[in-house]
Amino acid sequence: MAKITYMLKGVILVMVLALGSCTKWNYHDGGLSDGVHDCSMWEYFRTQPHDWDSTMIMIEHAGLKELFEGRGEHEQITFFGVTNLSILNYMLQNGYKRVIDIPVEDCKNILCKLIVPKRLMVNDIPRGQIIANTGEKVDGMEAQALRGSVFMWTHQEPYMQIEEAGEVSLYIRTNSGSVSFRVVSTDIQTNNGVVQAMGYAFDLNKI
């Protein structure tokens, strides 16, 4: 009887572990965040320090905090948000130990390339592409950033072999960059603008 009890316990333990493993295997990271936040963009960043604390230091270092608080020159902005790991990667590539070691003008230049002084949602961006071999821009749209411009386009994947029925992805390229990047978390709405969050592999040396 004791042997059977131990066997049953073993079977239950294996089932629990298997179910837990299945949950992990089926887990899909949906991005950094989404939804509507009834606060300023700056306050939103403060609620997500694991993604944005270095970004906040960079913003303050560049003298742009008021803009993200909604007290700057522009009432609404779209920020193609560079997150902590991208900033850390930039620091490692350029030999900086702290965010505040990055020259102020470099911080400001990076951020201003990624700020469009109006509110842009994914639904505002038309379908388009950049042809890989030629760099030709097809459809999409270009918007003036605080420095330079940003070319944006969306692409919709097929779903179950049905064209334009799947996920809509947003892509960007700055006018000074040679690489296109996908936005990983779209339409994070705040009272003074929209964050379109870039992925951890977003390379600041290539914008």
Side-chain angles (χ1 to χ4, degrees):
M1 187 68 180
K3 187 175 180 180
I4 293 173
T5 301
Y6 284 127
M7 287 176 64
L8 284 172
K9 287 181 177 178
V11 169
I12 291 169
L13 178 61
V14 169
M15 289 176 66
V16 168
L17 290 172
L19 288 172
S21 297
C22 287
T23 302
K24 183 67 175 176
W25 290 336
N26 291 324
Y27 173 75
H28 174 69
D29 185 355
L32 299 170
S33 184
D34 59 8
V36 179
H37 301 268
D38 187 18
C39 60
S40 71
M41 196 176 291
W42 185 260
E43 290 168 331
Y44 160 69
F45 291 152
R46 291 181 62 184
T47 68
Q48 306 284 337
H50 54 285
D51 285 316
W52 304 109
D53 57 357
S54 293
T55 311
M56 295 173 74
I57 295 171
M58 177 178 274
I59 289 169
E60 286 193 283
H61 190 48
L64 296 173
K65 182 179 177 182
E66 284 191 356
L67 182 63
F68 289 85
E69 290 177 322
R71 300 188 298 114
E73 177 184 354
H74 306 286
E75 292 184 2
Q76 294 289 319
I77 63 173
T78 299
F79 178 47
F80 295 97
V82 51
T83 55
N84 293 339
L85 288 183
S86 287
I87 295 172
L88 176 60
N89 185 48
Y90 178 81
M91 291 165 57
L92 290 172
Q93 289 181 18
N94 293 279
Y96 300 118
K97 293 183 178 179
R98 301 173 300 171
V99 178
I100 59 173
D101 292 335
I102 305 171
V104 170
E105 186 56 31
D106 289 353
C107 288
K108 191 169 185 177
N109 188 51
I110 288 168
L111 294 168
C112 287
K113 286 182 178 181
L114 302 173
I115 298 168
V116 174
K118 61 181 177 180
R119 195 178 187 96
L120 288 172
M121 304 284 286
V122 169
N123 285 340
D124 299 321
I125 316 299
R127 302 288 187 266
Q129 63 176 312
I130 290 184
I131 299 174
N133 294 334
T134 65
E136 180 185 355
K137 299 171 183 177
V138 180
D139 298 324
M141 67 175 286
E142 194 151 10
Q144 194 66 35
L146 295 186
R147 290 190 181 175
S149 61
V150 181
F151 179 69
M152 300 162 279
W153 71 97
T154 53
H155 173 74
Q156 188 166 20
E157 299 287 344
Y159 178 71
M160 301 291 289
Q161 298 183 337
I162 302 172
E163 291 296 323
E164 297 188 356
E167 177 188 4
V168 176
S169 300
L170 173 61
Y171 294 85
I172 70 164
R173 181 187 289 188
T174 65
N175 68 335
S176 59
S178 58
V179 179
S180 303
F181 295 98
R182 181 176 179 268
V183 175
V184 299
S185 189
T186 58
D187 290 354
I188 304 169
Q189 300 181 62
T190 69
N191 292 343
N192 63 308
V194 181
V195 181
Q196 307 289 4
M198 307 309 297
Y200 298 143
F202 185 46
D203 191 340
L204 299 181
N205 287 304
K206 296 180 179 179
I207 64 167

